[in-house]
């Protein structure tokens, strides 16, 4: 749990960790201890659309689990997020977000799940967060930034990929911070 300076006292950051199991457990803990008005699941994603580049913003229209379950984010919050993106000129991509159990490492793996599910991006947490939020009748929203595009291999253990991944991280972090800051500073 983290509270930011110069932010409303009701703003709470809650880190889930990587993966479906961690996200599910962390969201359940969050809702045992707090009753938020909105849960925003924000982080990185694999780009599954050919036009997506490192640092591109994705505003999901729905989240899909690998089992095929589909959940829509809170419509009013999503509309407000899209409006703030339009106001400050930050481009974004809309479409389904697929939550997967395992890291999508190769372009071939990304292409297979993109074709099978029709998703524009893939992550490892949003469907779990959304499922817990829906079960507890708490509105949710997702915001993702492309870390690894469709044509890029993601190999976190390779020293060869490390410098490129560090640059990707800083670019993605900057985009995500700007998008969240803009959204949070324009209350409904």
């Amino acid at each position: 749990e983290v509270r930011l300076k110069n932010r409303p006292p009701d703003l709470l950051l809650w880190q889930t960790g990587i993966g479906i199991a961690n996200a599910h457990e962390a969201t359940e803990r969050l809702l045992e201890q707090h009753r938020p008005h909105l849960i925003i699941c924000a982080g990185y994603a694999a780009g599954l659309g050919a036009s997506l580049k490192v640092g591109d913003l994705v505003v999901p229209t729905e989240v899909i689990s690998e089992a095929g379950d589909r959940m829509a984010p809170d419509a009013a919050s999503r509309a407000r997020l899209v409006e703030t993106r339009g106001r400050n000129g930050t481009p974004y991509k809309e479409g389904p977000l697929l939550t997967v159990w395992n890291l999508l490492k190769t372009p071939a793996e990304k292409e297979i799940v993109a074709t099978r599910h029709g998703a524009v991006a893939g992550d490892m947490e949003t469907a779990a967060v959304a499922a817990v939020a829906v079960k507890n009748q708490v509105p949710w929203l997702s915001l993702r930034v492309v870390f690894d595009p469709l044509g890029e291999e993601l190999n976190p253990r390779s020293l060869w990929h490390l410098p490129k991944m560090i640059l990707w991280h800083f670019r993605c972090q900057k985009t995500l911070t700007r998008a969240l800051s803009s959204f949070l500073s324009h209350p409904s």
Side-chain angles (χ1 to χ4, degrees):
E1 176 178 333
V2 177
R3 295 206 181 269
L4 299 176
K5 291 182 179 180
N6 302 321
R7 280 272 142 234
D10 59 347
L11 177 63
L12 176 70
L13 298 178
W14 199 269
Q15 184 175 348
T16 66
I18 297 171
I20 291 172
N22 287 332
H24 186 272
E25 182 182 324
T27 308
E28 291 221 329
R29 275 195 329 269
L30 167 69
L31 295 178
E32 287 169 5
Q33 298 175 30
H34 304 279
R35 191 64 184 174
H37 298 288
L38 174 68
I39 294 175
I40 302 172
C41 186
Y44 297 165
L48 302 180
S51 66
L52 291 172
K53 305 177 302 300
V54 173
D56 282 354
L57 196 60
V58 176
V59 180
T61 54
E62 66 179 336
V63 64
I64 308 167
S65 72
E66 276 190 289
D69 299 322
R70 294 174 179 264
M71 294 164 279
D74 179 65
S77 298
R78 189 179 175 290
R80 196 173 106 230
L81 177 62
V82 168
E83 179 187 324
T84 61
R85 301 290 19 100
R87 238 192 329 250
N88 74 9
T90 303
Y92 62 92
K93 176 78 172 177
E94 295 181 282
L97 173 69
L98 174 68
T99 297
V100 296
W101 279 96
N102 298 304
L103 192 64
L104 299 172
K105 294 180 185 175
T106 68
E109 290 173 327
K110 294 174 195 176
E111 187 70 45
I112 289 168
V113 297
T115 302
R116 183 179 303 144
H117 298 279
V120 298
D123 78 349
M124 297 176 65
E125 297 83 23
T126 301
V129 171
V132 174
V134 168
K135 180 180 85 175
N136 288 278
Q137 299 179 339
V138 175
W140 66 275
L141 177 67
S142 181
L143 179 62
R144 292 287 165 168
V145 176
V146 174
F147 183 76
D148 53 310
L150 180 64
E152 289 283 346
E153 183 169 333
L154 183 62
N155 186 350
R157 294 192 177 128
S158 168
L159 290 178
W160 176 255
H161 286 105
L162 192 57
K164 177 170 55 174
M165 290 175 60
I166 290 170
L167 289 174
W168 289 355
H169 169 72
F170 285 116
R171 184 179 302 163
C172 292
Q173 188 178 46
K174 184 177 178 181
T175 301
L176 191 57
T177 301
R178 277 195 316 242
L180 284 170
S181 179
S182 178
F183 177 74
L184 295 171
S185 64
H186 292 92
S188 57

